[in-house]
Amino acid sequence: MPRRTATMLASTLMLIALLCAGVIIPVPYAEMSPGPTVNTLGEHDGEPVLQISGRKTYATTGNLNMTTVRVTSADYRMNLVEAVYGWLAHDNKVVPHDTLYPDGKTEEQSTQENAEEFSQSQESAKVAALEELDIPVKSWVIVSTVVKDSPAEGKLHAGDVIKSVDGTAVKAPEDVAKLVTKHKPGEDVDFLIVPAKAQAAAEKANRTATETDKVTITTAKSDDSGEERAIVGISAGTDHTFPFTIDIKLADVGGPSAGLMFALGIYDKLTPGNLTGGRFVAGTGTIDDEGKVGPIGGIEMKTVGARDKGAEYFLTPKDNCDAAAKDTPDGLTLVKVDTIDDALGALKDIRSGDTADLPKCTTKG
């Protein structure tokens, strides 16, 4: 066989071997891409996304779209060819697998966590919208989760209302940890609670729960700290009672990033006129009970998904502005927001057409 022919054959075989290896060998990466975007003022799967009863609502026009990111599953392992293609694709992003699924988190665990965050974001969106409208919302501190095999297991339960710790009234979730950590590990701490069942029964009957229990728990030392920090093994959260019913109907979505857009949609439906002036506005951002907007992941994917659906303006959390502005889709204006008040102010300018002074995202933030 001539030397040139042999060399070409060897090179071809080597190339085939490399391609086969690229297809077969998994790499520790995952892919993010633009996901669905849904108008919070419209319908999804044949029913309104926001359903409000017991309060007058108003017709709305335009779009206030929440945005999502599609990710590969925890169990899926990309091969080298897919990773290279993802790196080269403009609208996709390849990231280390542990970025999306840290500490070996399973698909089921990730889905459960995202569902819990989504549920909490809905609650905060309702509170933020109603507080903005000066509509009172009753709130109280509850046991959010109980750690397995912790001192609190079997003594406190998810949904228990925490009235006080060691006789000191609890007004916010962070009060609980502050009061518990005043103790040393091995010391007793006293909780005054309304049991979850009693609270649920009182809410159903539209009355204030009066049944209380005193629960004494011996603290333990935290496993994640070299310090002598006392814990009981719970996380505290906030629950609310709303003066009317607000349901958010949106399946197969997780995480907290739709909070801002849900809050704006609720506000729009409860006020005359409309927030957008008929324009197509999309956005993202977490929101807390006070209306503070927080950053999210996958901002570049969300702006692409929004623009592909026709969005003209994108409400962008302040802390995501730098990343979003580095590759803004043509025809999309990124509007920087830090609170629900910022978003409402920007929407006022958008519907009036006076957009010259909108706080826009730039690469300098």
Side-chain angles (χ1 to χ4, degrees), residues 15-28:
L15 179 60
I16 293 172
L18 289 173
L19 288 173
C20 290
V23 172
I24 295 172
I25 299 174
V27 292

Side-chain angles (χ1 to χ4, degrees), residues 19-220:
L19 288 173
C20 290
V23 172
I24 295 172
I25 299 174
V27 292
Y29 292 97
E31 187 176 59
M32 304 168 65
S33 59
T37 173
V38 179
N39 187 8
T40 61
L41 302 177
E43 295 187 349
H44 183 67
D45 290 340
E47 61 178 344
V49 174
L50 299 177
Q51 301 180 14
I52 301 174
S53 58
R55 182 87 174 192
K56 183 178 181 179
T57 58
Y58 300 85
T60 58
T61 61
N63 289 65
L64 284 171
N65 279 45
M66 54 81 68
T67 50
T68 65
V69 174
R70 184 179 286 111
V71 300
T72 50
S73 69
D75 297 331
Y76 182 74
R77 290 295 183 268
M78 300 180 69
N79 59 50
L80 183 58
V81 172
E82 290 173 319
V84 171
Y85 179 81
W87 277 316
L88 296 175
H90 179 264
D91 292 345
N92 294 357
K93 186 175 183 180
V94 175
V95 297
H97 188 273
D98 290 346
T99 301
L100 299 179
Y101 304 101
D103 303 322
K105 188 180 296 182
T106 66
E107 182 79 15
E108 181 179 3
Q109 290 171 328
S110 180
T111 299
Q112 177 62 30
E113 183 178 293
N114 284 334
E116 291 173 357
E117 290 178 339
F118 186 62
S119 177
Q120 182 57 53
S121 76
Q122 294 180 48
E123 292 296 292
S124 293
K126 297 172 188 178
V127 175
L130 297 194
E131 291 287 350
E132 193 69 24
L133 292 166
D134 294 325
I135 299 174
V137 177
K138 294 181 181 178
S139 304
W140 52 86
V141 177
I142 63 167
V143 176
S144 181
T145 58
V146 180
V147 177
K148 184 176 176 57
D149 298 326
S150 70
E153 185 178 23
K155 294 187 174 184
L156 296 177
H157 304 87
D160 289 345
V161 178
I162 305 174
K163 303 290 287 184
S164 68
V165 176
D166 292 330
T168 300
V170 169
K171 298 181 180 180
E174 55 268 24
D175 292 345
V176 178
K178 290 178 182 178
L179 292 168
V180 169
T181 54
K182 286 184 176 181
H183 291 270
K184 294 180 179 180
E187 293 181 347
D188 288 345
V189 57
D190 294 326
F191 286 80
L192 183 67
I193 66 165
V194 176
K197 289 184 178 179
Q199 179 64 28
E203 290 182 44
K204 187 175 181 179
N206 195 26
R207 59 177 176 79
T208 300
T210 56
E211 178 185 341
T212 58
D213 288 340
K214 181 180 178 182
V215 179
T216 300
I217 301 174
T218 302
T219 61

Side-chain angles (χ1 to χ4, degrees), residues 221-279:
K221 180 182 176 182
S222 171
D223 291 333
D224 60 2
S225 173
E227 302 175 0
E228 289 288 322
R229 186 166 64 88
I231 61 167
V232 295
I234 66 169
S235 60
T238 307
D239 203 0
H240 311 90
T241 293
F242 299 99
F244 48 89
T245 302
I246 306 173
D247 285 330
I248 299 177
K249 303 292 187 180
L250 193 59
D252 302 323
V253 176
S257 66
L260 170 63
M261 302 312 291
F262 285 144
L264 293 173
I266 293 167
Y267 185 100
D268 200 359
K269 285 182 172 286
L270 291 173
T271 53
N274 62 81
L275 289 182
T276 68
R279 308 302 290 270

